[in-house]
């Protein structure tokens, strides 16, 4: 029992400082069976987000001190480009590292930053982009990717760009009206909480069953 309890304590500390993804990288890969017994496993994504927000804050600070808004935009596009190259490399090499760590995932976050930036500009986008983006997002929800295929994957740029555009879409568009449907909105609001909370419940249940079976033998 000692190893599981020790790992649980390590996860608590790592999660509090936003570094559980680093701990997981040092201890195991994403789809190892032992990860199913880690109650705080899903906090790796929170750590990734916290690291990104810290980096973004530093970029904003450096922009205010030394750059213009135009150079800030160029900076995040450049970061995104090299991050996407790492993602391409991660499809073949060091898959666990690229899954858990920020460098190969920056482009995903920066698409959201660019969407936010464009939302402040009076840009008129072609009407076909709205239904096309919704269709792409739905298709990637339906596709049954093997769990052994670790994200990020270069092909995921399409649904992420689609979602980025849907965030810019007019509230009067058909896509926005569909996504604003109350049951869908409720699922969207609840989904991340369910993602975070399901793991501790299932992990503790598995641990309890695991130790019961182990004691019987």
């Amino acid at each position: 029992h000692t190893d599981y309890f020790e790992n649980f304590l390590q996860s608590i500390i790592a999660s509090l400082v936003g570094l559980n993804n680093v701990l997981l990288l040092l201890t195991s890969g994403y789809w190892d069976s032992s990860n199913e017994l880690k109650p705080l496993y899903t906090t790796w994504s929170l750590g990734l987000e916290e690291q990104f927000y810290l980096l973004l804050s530093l970029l904003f600070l450096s922009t205010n001190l030394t750059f213009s808004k135009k150079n800030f935009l160029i900076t995040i596009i450049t970061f995104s480009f090299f991050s996407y190259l790492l993602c391409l490399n991660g499809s073949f090499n060091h898959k666990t590292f690229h899954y858990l760590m920020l460098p190969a995932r920056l482009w995903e976050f920066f698409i959201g930053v660019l969407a936010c930036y464009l939302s402040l500009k009076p840009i008129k986008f072609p009407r076909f982009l709205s239904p096309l983006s919704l269709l792409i997002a739905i298709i990637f929800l339906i596709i049954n990717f093997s769990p052994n295929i670790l994200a990020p994957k270069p092909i995921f740029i399409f649904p992420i760009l689609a979602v980025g555009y849907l965030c810019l879409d007019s509230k009067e568009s058909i896509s926005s009206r569909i996504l604003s449907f109350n049951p869908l909105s409720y699922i969207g609001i609840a989904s991340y909480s369910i993602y975070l909370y399901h793991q501790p419940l299932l992990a503790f249940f598995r641990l309890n069953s695991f130790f019961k079976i182990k004691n019987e033998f």
Side-chain angles (χ1 to χ4, degrees), residues 192-207:
Y192 195 62
S193 297
I194 294 171
Y195 163 73
L196 290 178
Y197 284 113
H198 87 281
Q199 175 67 14
L201 295 175
L202 292 177
F204 283 125
F205 176 79
R206 292 178 186 131
L207 282 169

Side-chain angles (χ1 to χ4, degrees), residues 2-216:
T2 305
D3 292 339
Y4 291 102
F5 184 66
E6 180 182 352
N7 181 263
F8 181 53
L9 293 178
Q10 290 172 344
S11 296
I12 291 174
I13 296 171
S15 298
L16 288 173
V17 295
L19 292 174
N20 201 30
N21 60 326
V22 177
L23 175 64
L24 288 169
L25 179 66
L26 297 175
T27 55
S28 66
Y30 184 71
W31 292 107
D32 289 353
S33 59
S34 60
N35 291 329
E36 297 175 356
L37 303 176
K38 296 178 180 178
L40 295 180
Y41 189 76
T42 51
T43 62
W44 73 267
S45 61
L46 292 177
L48 199 68
E49 291 176 25
E50 290 170 21
Q51 293 157 28
F52 169 72
Y53 293 136
L54 177 60
L55 174 63
L56 187 63
S57 298
L58 293 175
L59 285 176
F60 275 126
L61 179 62
S62 63
T63 298
N64 290 332
L65 294 176
T66 58
F67 298 121
S68 65
K69 291 182 180 179
K70 179 180 179 180
N71 284 335
F72 172 76
L73 189 62
I74 293 173
T75 300
I76 62 173
I77 291 174
T78 303
F79 270 67
S80 300
F81 174 75
F82 285 106
S83 176
Y84 192 72
L85 290 182
L86 282 176
C87 176
L88 290 170
N89 176 65
S91 298
F92 306 99
N93 304 301
H94 311 295
K95 294 183 179 181
T96 302
F97 174 85
H98 291 303
Y99 181 90
L100 291 170
M101 303 303 289
L102 187 59
R105 286 189 171 274
L106 269 178
W107 64 273
E108 297 175 316
F109 287 104
F110 277 137
I111 286 176
V113 174
L114 288 172
C116 181
Y117 177 83
L118 292 175
S119 69
L120 303 175
K121 303 293 181 180
I123 302 175
K124 290 186 177 181
F125 296 96
R127 290 185 177 181
F128 72 86
L129 283 180
S130 179
L132 178 61
S133 296
L134 183 60
L135 178 63
I136 291 173
I138 292 173
I139 288 173
F140 273 82
L141 284 175
I142 296 173
I143 294 175
N144 184 25
F145 288 100
S146 168
N148 292 321
I149 299 178
L150 295 183
K153 284 289 179 182
I155 195 174
F156 291 164
I157 192 172
F158 295 108
I160 295 174
L161 283 173
V163 172
Y165 177 78
L166 289 173
C167 292
L168 296 172
D169 203 9
S170 168
K171 294 182 179 179
E172 304 302 321
S173 70
I174 296 177
S175 297
S176 293
R177 290 179 181 178
I178 292 174
L179 294 173
S180 297
F181 185 51
N182 285 337
L184 292 179
S185 296
Y186 178 80
I187 292 172
I189 293 170
S191 61
Y192 195 62
S193 297
I194 294 171
Y195 163 73
L196 290 178
Y197 284 113
H198 87 281
Q199 175 67 14
L201 295 175
L202 292 177
F204 283 125
F205 176 79
R206 292 178 186 131
L207 282 169
N208 183 56
S209 302
F210 173 76
F211 289 130
K212 281 183 178 179
I213 295 172
K214 188 175 181 181
N215 290 333
E216 289 177 1

